[in-house]
Amino acid sequence: MIYQIGQCDQEDAVDSLDARLLLLLTDSPRLNVLECARRLGVARGTVQARLDRLTEQGILGGFPPELNLAAMGYGLTAFAVLEIAQGRRAAVSEALDAIEEVCEVHATTGQGDLFVRMVARDHDDLQRVIDAVVNVPGVRRTSTSLALSTPVPPRVRPLLERLAYETNSR
């Protein structure tokens, strides 16, 4: 699945109830529809309709568990900026998708064409992963940086909280 970055129409926007529902599921992704309805003070059908709409609009993509990759043995995180041959983005992205340690790939503007987040077990393993990335046909140049820490982890909570408590709800 390719995720596009852009703006949504006003009718597609997340309202206060949607945001409160998403916050609830962010905190407790295993809650069922009935429990969500109880905690939000709305009907079960309302919650189900909201979940269906959020899924159809691509806002809600699923409920993956939050995993600690370091605890799973992948203690190194690295970021690589790739310069690729013109017209090769789709093929390079497909090849990167086949490398299991590649966690994310973003098409970007600026000095590079693709921004890649990858993980490895140790420095030797990272060299192996980088070699696999560099050997992808169409990759011309890479610049890799190691993450030393993650002071702000991936998050959506502040955005959902702002939307949950805005006064202009549907």
Side-chain angles (χ1 to χ4, degrees):
M1 172 183 278
I2 297 176
Y3 294 94
Q4 298 294 326
I5 298 173
Q7 293 181 316
C8 61
D9 296 330
Q10 184 62 30
E11 64 188 58
D12 291 340
V14 174
D15 69 9
S16 176
L17 180 58
D18 293 334
R20 291 188 350 246
L21 174 58
L22 292 170
L23 276 169
L24 187 60
L25 291 171
T26 297
D27 292 340
S28 303
R30 297 177 67 172
L31 288 180
N32 63 38
V33 173
L34 187 60
E35 182 60 19
C36 288
R38 188 188 69 73
R39 291 187 188 189
L40 293 170
V42 299
R44 180 196 178 284
T46 299
V47 169
Q48 188 62 60
R50 295 293 180 118
L51 289 172
D52 291 345
R53 182 179 49 76
L54 292 167
T55 301
E56 287 171 16
Q57 291 175 342
I59 295 169
L60 178 60
F63 298 96
E66 183 179 322
L67 302 175
N68 181 335
L69 293 175
M72 293 172 50
Y74 292 92
L76 289 180
T77 298
F79 298 93
V81 176
L82 308 183
E83 292 179 21
I84 61 173
Q86 282 191 329
R88 300 284 301 171
R89 185 182 53 162
V92 169
S93 296
E94 186 176 325
L96 292 172
D97 187 47
I99 301 171
E100 295 166 351
E101 294 83 2
V102 170
C103 298
E104 293 178 67
V105 177
H106 299 270
T108 60
T109 61
Q111 289 186 324
D113 301 302
L114 297 175
F115 187 74
V116 179
R117 180 173 68 96
M118 60 187 103
V119 294
R121 294 185 180 278
D122 54 35
H123 290 93
D124 291 335
D125 192 40
L126 179 60
Q127 184 63 61
R128 179 191 58 78
V129 174
I130 292 170
D131 289 345
V133 169
V134 169
N135 288 324
V136 168
V139 173
R140 289 192 168 164
R141 177 186 297 272
T142 67
S143 175
T144 305
S145 299
L146 285 177
L148 300 177
S149 67
T150 307
V152 179
R155 62 188 183 148
V156 295
R157 173 169 278 293
L159 299 172
L160 289 173
E161 286 175 345
R162 181 175 63 193
L163 291 170
Y165 302 108
E166 284 182 346
T167 56
N168 60 344
S169 59
R170 285 185 206 180

